[in-house]
Amino acid sequence: MAVKVLIKRTFKNVATKDISAMLIQARSNAMKQEGYITSETLTHAKDPHTVLVIAMWRNISDWHNYRDSAVRQENERKYAEILQGETEYEEYHMGLAQ
């Protein structure tokens, strides 16, 4: 069953172009992973330093495999240097649970 993963980050006062470059790289990495379907990036209407990525994966196992991968862990280490607080994750199955 497909899943959507909400990934919320609040960045310190960092140049938008730097944040954008990191998000583009992360999306490029995800696109190469089995089970990746799509993702979108949203910026909070009142706080441009808060970014929400909504990623869709074929199933929860595909997401967890990518989440735990070395390439993603390296990206997360880079994010940690410019984040204000922790990254928040929420995982949702598509449709109603059976």
Side-chain angles (χ1 to χ4, degrees):
M1 175 181 287
V3 296
K4 285 201 177 187
V5 180
L6 283 61
I7 305 168
K8 182 178 176 184
R9 296 181 178 98
T10 301
F11 293 93
K12 297 175 183 173
N13 195 10
V14 178
T16 304
K17 67 180 175 92
D18 295 333
I19 295 169
S20 180
M22 291 178 74
L23 292 169
I24 289 168
Q25 181 60 53
R27 177 169 287 139
S28 176
N29 291 341
M31 290 172 68
K32 298 172 188 170
Q33 301 301 308
E34 184 174 342
Y36 173 85
I37 297 173
T38 190
S39 60
E40 60 184 322
T41 302
L42 308 172
T43 303
H44 194 284
K46 294 182 180 178
D47 179 6
H49 291 103
T50 298
V51 175
L52 177 68
V53 174
I54 303 171
M56 187 172 181
W57 291 83
R58 179 177 53 197
N59 57 52
I60 199 80
S61 295
D62 289 335
W63 155 244
H64 288 169
N65 287 338
Y66 176 60
R67 178 195 65 192
D68 299 337
S69 70
V71 67
R72 186 165 187 286
Q73 293 306 312
E74 178 60 28
N75 277 353
E76 290 304 305
R77 281 190 284 283
K78 292 176 185 175
Y79 283 128
E81 297 172 9
I82 61 172
L83 282 178
Q84 180 179 314
E86 297 291 320
T87 300
E88 298 175 29
Y89 298 91
E90 293 185 55
E91 300 169 348
Y92 292 87
H93 290 282
M94 299 292 291
L96 297 175
Q98 305 264 334

